[in-house]
Amino acid sequence: MEPDLFTAAAEERQEKDPSSSPLAVRMRPRTLDEVVGQQHLLKPGSPLRRLVGEGAGGPAGASSVILWGPPGTGKTTLAYVVSKATDKRFVELSAITAGVKEVRAVIEGARRATGGFGKETVLFLDEIHRFSKAQQDSLLPAVENRWITLIAATTENPYFSVISPLLSRSLLLTLEPLTDDDLRALLRRALSDERGLRGAVTLPEDSENHLLRIAGGDARRALTALEAAAGAALDKGEPDITLQTLEETVDRAAVTYDRDGDQHYDVASALIKSIRGSDVDAALHYLARMIDAGEDPRFIARRLMISASEDIGLADPNALPIAVAAAQAVAMIGFPEAALTLSHATIALALAPKSNAATTAIGAAMEDVRKGHAGPVPMHLRDGHYKGAAKLGHAQGYVYPHDLPEGIAEQRYAPEELKDREYYEPTRHGAEARYADAVEWTRKHLGRKRS
C-alpha cells in the first residue's frame, strides 16, 4: 500500500485507538489462516497463497486473479491480507472513482518500481465490473507483461462484465456464500477478540440465530449489526445482547422460522399451496417470510421449479422456463436483488392457469411399471442398426412418420398389454387446451381405441 499523509495519519490513529474503526474493519483477518470460509481457495499452492509469497519460488510467478462472489464473502478481505502479507508494492483502486488516468499512473509507477528497485506491484481493483471496455483495455499490457499482478473484485458475472482478453490473462476464483457456521465463528471471534468487543457482552443463542438470519451470508452485515447491538446493550448496562435489543437495533423482528425445523417446511408448503391455489397475495406473503428469515434463495427457486411442472405443466408452457431462469438468476446475483427475481417468478406461477396432468400422467405410468406391466418392446421399434438385426426381425415393418403426408403412422408403439393405456389426460385450462386437441387427434390417427 502507498498511503498519502492523511491515510497514514488515519492508520496511526486506528492503531492507537482501535475502537475508532468499525468492528468489521478491526476484525479483518491478518493472515490467510484467519480467513473464515473460502477454504477451497486457500489450499497450499493456491494462487492466493502464491500472491503472499507462500510457495511462489521457481520460474513460475504469481498469477493475476479475478475474485467473483456476493457482497460480504471476503473479496476485499483477501486483498487486504495480501497487502499486509506480501513484500510487494501494493496499490488499491476502486473502479467507482478511478479511471484510465489513475490506472496508467499505477502502471507507470509499477514499471519504475520494477526497473529501478526490482519490486513487483500488486494492484487491487475493486468493482471492476464498473470499468468500461476501454478502461479495462488499459490494464491489458501491464497484466500481459506482468508489470502488475492484478487482483480484481466483482459481484457480477465476469463472463458478462469483464472483457475476454483480461479474463484469459487471469485466474477466475469464485467465492462461495458464507455458511451459518462460518458467520457463527466470525461473530464469536469478534465477541472475544482483543481487536473486537473483548468480552464486554455475550450473545445468547436466540440472538445469535436472529443475527445469522439477517446477515444473509454477508460477513460485513453481520459484524455491523453485532457492533450496533453491542453498543445498545452496553448503553443499557446489559451484559447480554438480548433478542429484544437486537430487534430494536437492527429494526428487524425475529420471524418465527427455523430453517432446520417445522417452520421451514410449513412456510415452504404454504408458499407452494398458495401458488397452486392461484392466491398471488398469500404466495408473496410466504415468500417474504422466507426471504426475511434468511432462507437460502436457491431452496426457494428449486421449489418454484417443481411447482411449475407439478401444478402448471402445459397449461402455461412458459412457467417452467420462467422458474428455471429465476433459479439461474438467483445463483448469479444472490440477495438482496434475488428477492425481485423470486417475486417475479412467484407472481407468474401463481397467476398461471393450472394443470396437474403432467404429474398424474407420470404417476400412472410409473405405477404400471412398478406393477410389472411392461412387456417386450414391439419388434418393429427395436434397434436395427447392428449386423444381424434384420434376421431377428428387429425394425422390420417400421413406418417412418416423416414419409407420410400427415406426419403420423398408424402403428403400435406401446407393448401389447399396454396398447390402449392412456396416461396423459390434458385439461382445457390455458394453453393445455391445444394439447388436448392434439392428443385427441393423434390417438385417433394412431388407431387407438378409447379405454
Side-chain angles (χ1 to χ4, degrees):
M1 193 80 69
E2 296 183 336
D4 56 25
L5 180 63
F6 298 103
T7 302
E11 290 182 348
E12 182 179 354
R13 175 171 174 261
Q14 289 173 0
E15 288 179 4
K16 292 180 179 179
D17 180 17
S19 63
S20 64
S21 299
L23 181 62
V25 173
R26 304 201 306 268
M27 292 308 301
R28 274 180 176 167
R30 293 159 294 191
T31 67
L32 289 179
D33 292 330
E34 289 185 1
V35 173
V36 173
Q38 315 307 337
Q39 295 307 304
H40 63 294
L41 301 180
L42 302 176
K43 297 175 181 177
S46 68
L48 291 175
R49 291 202 178 274
R50 290 177 62 79
L51 276 172
V52 301
E54 296 181 21
S63 302
S64 291
V65 297
I66 296 175
L67 303 175
W68 173 33
T73 51
K75 299 182 294 296
T76 305
T77 292
L78 289 172
Y80 176 82
V81 170
V82 171
S83 75
K84 294 297 181 184
T86 184
D87 59 354
K88 301 174 184 177
R89 178 172 172 266
F90 191 91
V91 183
E92 180 178 355
L93 292 178
S94 171
I96 298 176
T97 56
V100 172
K101 179 181 177 182
E102 288 77 11
V103 170
R104 287 177 176 166
V106 171
I107 293 173
E108 184 58 33
R111 295 181 68 177
R112 288 199 303 269
T114 301
F117 307 103
K119 198 171 186 65
E120 298 178 34
T121 297
V122 175
L123 169 61
F124 173 56
L125 181 58
D126 201 11
E127 306 276 355
I128 189 174
H129 56 271
R130 295 180 181 269
F131 260 11
S132 67
K133 181 180 182 298
Q135 290 171 314
Q136 292 184 36
D137 278 336
S138 67
L139 292 164
L140 288 175
V143 174
E144 174 80 33
N145 294 289
R146 201 168 281 171
W147 298 329
I148 63 170
T149 300
L150 176 67
I151 304 177
T154 178
T155 56
E156 296 189 5
N157 190 331
Y159 289 106
F160 298 120
S161 58
V162 179
I163 60 174
S164 297
L166 194 55
L167 270 179
S168 68
R169 290 164 174 78
S170 310
L171 294 177
L172 177 59
L173 305 182
T174 304
L175 281 75
E176 298 174 350
L178 296 180
T179 66
D180 281 356
D181 287 341
D182 293 333
L183 290 179
R184 187 175 288 109
L186 189 64
L187 291 172
R188 292 178 180 178
R189 181 191 297 173
L191 284 164
S192 60
D193 197 285
E194 284 299 311
R195 294 176 297 155
L197 299 174
R198 308 174 188 175
V201 290
T202 62
L203 187 66
E205 185 177 358
D206 57 348
S207 298
E208 182 181 72
N209 289 335
H210 183 42
L211 194 48
L212 292 174
R213 291 183 189 121
I214 62 179
D218 187 324
R220 190 181 300 109
R221 187 185 305 167
L223 291 173
T224 300
L226 174 63
E227 184 175 29
L234 291 172
D235 287 343
K236 293 179 180 181
E238 297 174 349
D240 301 327
I241 300 176
T242 64
L243 186 58
Q244 180 180 350
T245 297
L246 183 58
E247 288 177 314
E248 292 170 353
T249 306
V250 301
D251 194 27
R252 289 279 294 277
V255 179
T256 303
Y257 187 96
D258 180 359
R259 278 176 285 179
D260 298 316
D262 292 343
Q263 283 288 321
H264 167 86
Y265 296 105
D266 288 346
V267 177
S269 174
L271 169 66
I272 298 307
K273 288 173 181 174
S274 297
I275 291 174
R276 183 182 298 148
S278 299
D279 190 332
V280 64
D281 302 302
L284 286 169
H285 165 75
Y286 292 118
L287 174 64
R289 281 173 62 169
M290 298 174 81
I291 292 172
D292 191 66
E295 181 60 81
D296 186 342
R298 295 169 297 180
F299 169 78
I300 303 173
R302 287 195 295 269
R303 297 306 306 170
L304 295 179
M305 286 192 287
I306 295 169
S307 174
S309 291
E310 181 181 9
D311 296 315
I312 298 170
L314 293 173
D316 184 352
N318 289 320
L320 182 57
I322 288 173
V324 171
Q328 293 172 335
V330 161
M332 292 170 62
I333 61 178
F335 282 143
E337 292 84 355
L340 307 178
T341 302
L342 293 171
S343 173
H344 175 167
T346 297
I347 293 170
L349 299 189
L351 297 180
K354 304 299 189 294
S355 169
N356 71 341
T359 302
T360 57
I362 189 61
M366 291 294 294
E367 183 179 3
D368 271 353
V369 170
R370 292 190 184 109
K371 289 179 177 178
H373 301 316
V377 174
M379 296 293 284
H380 60 284
L381 298 185
R382 298 186 186 185
D383 181 21
H385 289 88
Y386 60 92
K387 187 176 181 180
K391 293 181 179 179
L392 297 173
H394 292 188
Q396 301 304 300
Y398 172 67
V399 181
Y400 191 54
H402 296 296
D403 290 339
L404 303 179
E406 292 183 319
I408 190 166
E410 185 175 340
Q411 60 186 344
R412 181 166 60 84
Y413 291 93
E416 175 64 27
E417 65 177 287
L418 297 172
K419 63 181 180 180
D420 294 321
R421 188 75 165 92
E422 295 177 358
Y423 297 115
Y424 180 47
E425 295 295 340
T427 69
R428 289 283 173 178
H429 303 160
E432 196 165 36
R434 65 185 179 90
Y435 290 96
D437 292 335
V439 165
E440 183 178 344
W441 185 86
T442 54
R443 284 173 178 165
K444 177 181 177 182
H445 283 72
L446 286 169
R448 299 269 292 279
K449 298 179 181 178
R450 294 291 298 181
S451 55

